[in-house]
Amino acid sequence: MVLQRRANLGLRLKLAKCAFLQKEISYLGHTINSHGLAPDKKKVMAIQAAPEPKKCYGITVLLGSLAEAERRYAQIDREALALLFGVKKFHQYLSGRAFTILTDHKPLVSLLGENKGVPLMASGRMQRWAIMLCGYQYKRRYRPGTTNANADALSRLPLSVKPEVTENPSESVLSLHILEITPARPITTVQLRQFTDRDGQLATVRHSVLSGWQREVDSELRHYWNHRHELSVLGGCVLWGSRVIIPQKAWPMVLEELHEPHPGVSEMRSLARSYIWWPGLDADIEKIAKSCGTCQEHQRSPPKAPLHPWAQPERAWSRLHIDFAGPFLGRWFFILSDAYSKWLEVNH
Ligand SMILES: [Zn+2]
């Protein structure tokens, strides 16, 4: 009868995915047989076969399931990744339903809150995750780790079976590359990383972002500490939101690049605001503009031509501009445009 109705409706089935004359089948986490519906044994195995705790299990157990790149994520990014892993893993159960996410990581509650839109100063990675979560109908609630024992126990006593890897959105949408694709190529990300390695202060910040902050920090790290939930690490460089934090060694080079078209103080500031940051950047920009006659002129009568024009590329698909747009009619759109042909690709 089932097959007849399918045939009437014109539905086709993939033979390899069908099972005939079975006493019992597993479907969507349940076992279905003549007795009815029961939880699939495989799904509750982690609880039934949990090893008896013999020693103190550390975070290293957990790290075993992270991909190489994910281990270098900031603490907050790892917490968010765990959340996203859960949502994607149980997509079939969650999609189209209202559900509640419980997390013991407080900053995440405000960063990935429901109906909050995408947080502006969150890292690019976090913004993409927030966009992915927009597709779900969820509430989020904070639950302190001490009362989150069920999830905690399972994460500390995992079975030896490795979970399959949850696919992650690609990391190719990077503001970091902006610094490299400007025509003059003032500095590469590799250089930035090397300068960061050698910059005592910034290297300390990077370490704290990756392995957690102390409760108190020295006064020179205050700037960073105040924004600790908005910092992330990408390619060995530290980012504040989507802005790359420039190590001190590279300040003169980057300032020179900003100053090259003599745009005046406010234009330099607004350009910097989109891509880069360091403590005292605004003051440095002011200083360089004040000591330059041409900039002073521009400041009084701003030139009409664009101040930092993109060079015309020589062939199609050699430079792409990408961004998210929205929300529009409740959706987010991923927009890509080819600088040469002006070809547009829009996805939602
Ligand atoms: Zn100037």
Side-chain angles (χ1 to χ4, degrees), residues 259 262-263 268 288-289 292-295:
H259 180 222
H262 297 285
M268 272 197 270
I288 205 169
C292 169
T294 322
C295 275

Side-chain angles (χ1 to χ4, degrees), residues 293-308:
T294 322
C295 275
Q296 298 286 316
E297 274 304 306
H298 280 182
Q299 197 61 21
R300 275 192 289 276
S301 57
K304 291 185 180 58
L307 294 163
H308 203 271

Side-chain angles (χ1 to χ4, degrees), residues 50-107:
E52 263 180 52
K54 293 199 174 74
K55 58 181 168 105
C56 187
Y57 286 81
I59 190 89
T60 41
V61 180
L62 256 173
L63 286 177
S65 69
L66 291 178
E68 189 55 36
E70 292 165 358
R71 290 185 205 192
R72 291 193 297 267
Y73 280 8
Q75 181 62 28
I76 189 163
D77 282 358
R78 284 203 294 258
E79 298 277 357
L81 176 72
L83 191 153
L84 210 80
F85 173 84
V87 170
K88 288 188 76 178
K89 170 126 180 132
F90 298 112
H91 170 82
Q92 281 179 306
Y93 299 92
L94 300 175
S95 179
R97 289 166 178 247
F99 60 98
T100 304
I101 297 173
L102 298 173
T103 172
D104 64 354
H105 196 70
K106 235 182 193 160

Side-chain angles (χ1 to χ4, degrees), residues 70 81 84-85 88 129 132 164-170:
E70 292 165 358
L81 176 72
L84 210 80
F85 173 84
K88 288 188 76 178
W129 288 344
M132 287 175 63
E164 69 261 47
V165 172
T166 296
E167 232 179 88
N168 231 343
S170 129

